[in-house]
Amino acid sequence: MKLLRYGPVGQERPGILDSEGKIRDLSGIVDDLEGKWLADLSWTESLDPSTLPLVEGTPRLGPCVAGTGKFICIGLNFADHAAESGMEVPPEPVIFMKATSAIIGPNDDVVIPRGSTATDWEVELGIVIGKPAKHVSQKEALDHVAGYCVINDVSERDFQTKRSGQWTKGKSCDTFGPVGPWLVTRDDISDPQNLKMWLKVNGETMQNGSSATMVYGVAHVVSYLSDFMTLHPGDIISTGTPPGVGQGMKPPRYLKAGDVVELGIEGLGEQRQDVRSEG
Ligand code: ZN
């Protein structure tokens, strides 16, 4: 099932796509797509979207998960991306946090922050946690995944690497976390390690990869993280990007106001962001 949130910023309502790709309102069933409804998706089992109220028009889509407590990202998780970044594949997953205040809808504007000259793109497979996960094995890990979504892990490379400390500064700026369009429930994705991933800037293909070349896959990452912290329903894990980021180009190429970024993952839908300056 493709679960979503629609409506103005801060006033999103839960919805679901029907078999014709139309939005149906879910607010008579759940109050929002937040952790408490994602921990146990049994309410979706008897759901017949065609019986729910049809949403007219093409409303804005919000992030497909509400109330995310943690937004954890995996760094350098594709060998070829590590190489273009001039880094080695790490012996264990590298993790960093993205501030949850960076989360926006899939088609909202990305804002280049004040002072930035190196704002970059990263198409990533997002994991949305369902059941709480603490010390789960790789074999059990997928039972704790509610579903998957597209994420653009927007990154300011100078803030990330030249401003001292960890990567968090370059990953957490407002609007640096488009999430959606849908949360595709786990039962709809037979193999998360075989999904095409792509990203274009102004119509030009920049990233054209697959989750098949991920170093540490979904089950590994969920199990690994659960040994360090409890993963809660609604937490998001962004699993790293394939090659083709602007930083890896010669010379590097970064986003500027007026650019249009489009990205998608097989089976998970597409995003489109207009880029503008904070000023
Ligand atoms: Zn990333």
Side-chain angles (χ1 to χ4, degrees):
M1 292 198 169
K2 295 184 171 77
L3 305 173
L4 59 97
R5 298 171 67 249
Y6 71 96
V9 176
Q11 299 171 46
E12 292 91 348
R13 297 162 69 98
I16 185 168
L17 271 201
D18 68 16
S19 57
E20 293 174 6
K22 293 184 173 144
I23 299 176
R24 301 281 180 156
D25 182 71
L26 264 181
S27 56
I29 314 276
V30 296
D31 52 2
D32 206 348
L33 291 176
E34 58 194 336
K36 68 178 175 185
W37 294 105
L38 301 177
D40 177 359
L41 285 168
S42 56
W43 58 270
T44 62
E45 284 162 15
S46 56
L47 210 56
D48 177 0
S50 68
T51 63
L52 298 171
L54 183 64
V55 176
E56 301 290 346
T58 50
R60 167 189 173 268
L61 296 178
C64 57
V65 188
T68 294
K70 290 193 288 299
F71 195 153
I72 308 169
C73 302
I74 311 297
L76 305 172
N77 200 19
F78 286 72
D80 28 16
H81 170 61
E84 74 175 349
S85 307
M87 316 273 253
E88 299 282 321
V89 172
E92 293 187 48
V94 162
I95 75 167
F96 60 89
M97 306 295 274
K98 186 187 273 287
T100 54
S101 49
I103 294 173
I104 58 171
N107 306 314
D108 291 347
D109 291 356
V110 164
V111 179
I112 297 174
R114 198 171 293 180
S116 162
T117 56
T119 295
D120 204 348
W121 53 82
E122 296 189 345
V123 59
E124 304 202 2
L125 171 65
I127 305 168
V128 179
I129 295 295
K131 269 197 304 184
K134 173 85 172 169
H135 298 307
V136 299
S137 68
Q138 290 192 38
K139 206 169 153 210
E140 301 163 318
L142 294 188
D143 294 341
H144 298 261
V145 172
Y148 303 98
C149 61
V150 180
I151 290 174
N152 187 355
D153 177 19
V154 184
S155 305
E156 215 296 338
R157 301 303 182 192
D158 291 346
F159 296 3
Q160 179 183 348
T161 60
K162 296 181 182 170
R163 298 287 295 273
S164 297
Q166 303 174 330
W167 292 359
T168 310
K169 279 176 219 174
K171 298 285 190 172
S172 293
C173 306
D174 293 351
T175 77
F176 274 22
V179 173
W182 348 111
L183 164 56
V184 180
T185 50
R186 181 167 49 91
D187 53 317
D188 273 6
I189 300 294
S190 57
D191 183 3
Q193 303 309 146
N194 189 24
L195 303 174
K196 291 189 178 65
M197 308 169 67
W198 57 271
L199 181 144
K200 295 178 184 178
V201 178
N202 302 333
E204 184 183 344
T205 297
M206 298 295 179
Q207 296 188 275
N208 189 11
S210 166
S211 62
T213 63
M214 213 180 262
V215 178
Y216 302 108
V218 170
H220 187 119
V221 161
V222 169
S223 167
Y224 181 84
L225 289 172
S226 81
D227 277 338
F228 295 95
M229 63 191 94
T230 301
L231 301 173
H232 291 284
D235 284 354
I236 297 173
I237 303 165
S238 200
T239 55
T241 201
V245 301
Q247 181 187 41
M249 294 176 183
K250 294 187 176 45
R253 173 172 169 179
Y254 294 118
L255 293 172
K256 56 187 188 314
D259 284 346
V260 175
V261 181
E262 296 165 283
L263 58 149
I265 300 180
E266 189 180 359
L268 301 183
E270 299 180 5
Q271 303 185 347
R272 181 192 186 282
Q273 293 112 29
D274 287 313
V275 178
R276 60 184 172 84
S277 292
E278 182 180 355

